[in-house]
Every structure is written in C-alpha cells, then in structure tokens.
Amino acid sequence: MNSYIAIVWLVALLGVGVQAASVATPGCGGSTSAKDIKLVKPTNPPRECEYHINAYSKYVCQLRIDFAMTLAQPELLESAQTGLKTAECSVDYFEVNGLRLCGEEVWQHIYVPFNASAGVSRIDLLISLANRAGGSSLPTPNWDMVVTQLECPAGASVRELFAPSDEPQARATSFTDGFLVAPPGCLQYFPQTKGVVKSFNYNDGHGVYPSHLNYAICFRRTTQTSALTIRSYFFHVGAESSASTLLTDNSCYRSGSSSVNNADFLMVPQAKLVENNERATYFCGATHNDVVISSNNPGPLLVLFNSDEIYDSNDAGFAFTYTVE
C-alpha cells in the first residue's frame, strides 16, 4: 500500500474531495497548519528532523498519523544490576507526545490528543537518526507519513475528558471527521467493521516490540454492535523460550530471573476462547495457530497491550484479524 492510496482512503472516509494542492508537504524543521499533511524523508535527512503541526482550527481535537517507516531496530540494553535486557528505541526513533517507536512499520497508525480549544496550539513530530558515517550497518532510514487534523464539535465528550469547561461553547455548523475520531485514551482506533491489527515493529513476525508500552487499541461500537471477535494468527507475547501454547490470566504474571515480574500481555475484557468456551482476560505465550477470542463487554470496544521492562528473545509481537459484529 503506497502513500497515495493511504491519502485517498482517508479522504474517502472523511467524505471530502481534496485536491493534491491542499495536502501540505513541509520539510524538516517546517511548520504547517493544514488539515491534511504528508511528511516524507528528504534526500539527505539531518540527524534530527522535526515537524511542527499547528492547529488547523479551534475545533481540532486529535491528530491521526498513518505511517510507514524503516528505522533501526530497538536497542537491547542490559542492566548492570540484574543482567536483564530491555528493548529501547534509542538508536533511531520517531517520537510524538512522549511515545517513541522504531524499527520497521508498513502502514501503522496512532492517535495523538490535540485539544486546540484548551489552548494547545502545536504538536511536534521528531525523527531522530543515529550517525551513519563510516559504513554503518544500520538500515537506510525512510519514512512516509500522512497526518490528518481531526475536528470535534465544541463540548463533545472527547474534549471534556481533557479540558472540562464551565463556559458553553458554540458548536460548529458541520463536522465531517466523526467517523475517524477515536474515543478518548485510544492510541489506535479502527472504525471499520473488519480489519487487521499488528503490534508495533511486527515486521512479519521478525521484529521486537519496544519495552514499556501500555496502550489501548479501540474499535467502533454502534447501537447494533453485539461482540468483537479476534482471530489471532501470530502471537509471541511474554513468551519464554519453551512456550508453544497460548497462556491466560495468572500464567501471564510469572517471575523472570532476579525475581523481576514479567507482565507482557494482551488484555481483552470479558473474553472467551471460542474453541473451548474458556473465560479469560489476559493472554500471553506463543502460538502460530489460529486462536479465536470473542468479547462482549459493555462500553467501548477495546483491547489493551502491555510490555514491561524485560526483553525476551521471543517477544516478537502479535497479529490478528478482527470483526465487529
């Protein structure tokens, strides 16, 4: 999927006809207040490439960033005290709002809160690169990003979570971004009824997800929604080298060396394994077999992913299809 298709897909969802001239393309160090933005690696990128996204309007509430990138893999840092390793994005990284990502991505996306009505006027996106002089073995860096400023009506719940106000605010006459606006607190949001979800730096099961992640993956609920069904086809989360099956609940909180708790898991509220009707909430371990999980929790449809500070050689991530029924 190339960047043109990604832009067309976003425009189709928004229901707005956008000409190519309306998509801003700032370079490193540049600023823009455009609603639709495309960021690509320059021919000779500097060690630090920063983009400044200024609010398109006072109704902007989120940025959606769709991106493909090739950066260095997470660095495995060993603790002198425990001998345990952690996977950190410290060589190359993409950083926004305190989140760092690295490695290989083929059209992932994230959401960033951007509450312009509360006085937030700018979001900075940073690409930091290691020195590649002298025949470095690091991969040639590359990135291609589509940034969309999403607008919410003043007083909408997504705003009230971040900036409650006693003053009534006038509503805009029309908004076309509603389908794409994520529920508050979601790092990723999938509004379509079917799709594929992969962990960061999945890289066809050959990557390493970064340590210290804790985020919500959300799905669109309507008044007709009855369940979320997940079919996992690759799962290596918190897996010890001997693990070959999916583990659940208490098995996901096991002690590693030096008595440091290992708690990498995918949490699915009020879930059950369809094959044997077993109830579970936390999922970890390793399996390449299809595993079907169904969830019918009330409220927002979501799953949570957590990775602690301990790296294990089998921490490759997950990939699953989903259906909102």
Side-chain angles (χ1 to χ4, degrees), residues 9-79:
W9 178 80
L10 286 170
V11 170
L13 286 179
L14 292 171
V16 180
V18 179
Q19 297 178 352
S22 66
V23 178
T25 57
C28 295
S31 300
T32 180
S33 58
K35 185 173 180 64
D36 300 290
I37 305 161
K38 181 176 172 61
L39 308 175
V40 296
K41 188 209 77 167
T43 303
N44 296 301
R47 290 281 303 278
E48 288 195 348
C49 181
E50 191 166 27
Y51 303 99
H52 309 292
I53 312 300
N54 300 314
Y56 169 76
S57 78
K58 67 179 181 179
Y59 299 109
V60 171
C61 57
Q62 297 173 348
L63 292 183
R64 176 175 169 125
I65 306 174
D66 291 80
F67 60 97
M69 69 182 188
T70 299
L71 299 176
Q73 289 291 311
E75 185 177 16
L76 303 182
L77 303 176
E78 184 173 322
S79 169

Side-chain angles (χ1 to χ4, degrees), residues 150-162:
L150 302 177
E151 296 175 277
C152 301
S157 60
V158 70
R159 291 188 178 281
E160 292 170 354
L161 179 70
F162 299 105

Side-chain angles (χ1 to χ4, degrees), residues 77-238:
L77 303 176
E78 184 173 322
S79 169
Q81 288 74 33
T82 65
L84 299 175
K85 294 181 180 179
T86 183
E88 304 291 348
C89 290
S90 54
V91 181
D92 296 340
Y93 55 85
F94 163 48
E95 182 173 23
V96 58
N97 203 32
L99 173 69
R100 282 189 180 185
L101 298 173
C102 57
E104 189 81 22
E105 299 290 4
V106 182
W107 293 111
Q108 278 277 20
H109 77 271
I110 58 173
Y111 279 76
V112 180
F114 192 178
N115 198 345
S117 68
V120 179
S121 60
R122 192 178 84 182
I123 297 290
D124 296 327
L125 281 60
L126 173 66
I127 304 284
S128 179
L129 303 176
N131 187 356
R132 282 167 165 76
S136 169
S137 61
L138 296 174
T140 300
N142 194 40
W143 61 88
D144 192 344
M145 300 184 177
V146 177
V147 182
T148 306
Q149 299 203 43
L150 302 177
E151 296 175 277
C152 301
S157 60
V158 70
R159 291 188 178 281
E160 292 170 354
L161 179 70
F162 299 105
S165 174
D166 294 328
E167 296 295 327
Q169 297 179 344
R171 297 176 65 91
T173 55
S174 65
F175 287 88
T176 58
D177 295 345
F179 184 75
L180 283 177
V181 172
C186 300
L187 183 64
Q188 294 192 299
Y189 177 55
F190 294 83
Q192 299 85 0
T193 56
K194 296 181 179 181
V196 178
V197 180
K198 298 177 182 179
S199 53
F200 292 117
N201 193 33
Y202 173 67
N203 197 19
D204 290 329
H206 301 293
V208 175
Y209 55 78
S211 301
H212 310 292
L213 291 178
N214 183 266
Y215 63 94
I217 304 166
C218 303
F219 308 88
R220 184 170 180 261
R221 176 187 284 279
T222 69
T223 55
Q224 289 77 39
T225 298
S226 60
L228 170 68
T229 300
I230 293 170
R231 182 180 294 273
S232 173
Y233 58 89
F234 182 92
F235 198 85
H236 275 255
V237 173

Side-chain angles (χ1 to χ4, degrees), residues 221 297-302:
R221 176 187 284 279
N297 66 289
L301 288 181
L302 56 83

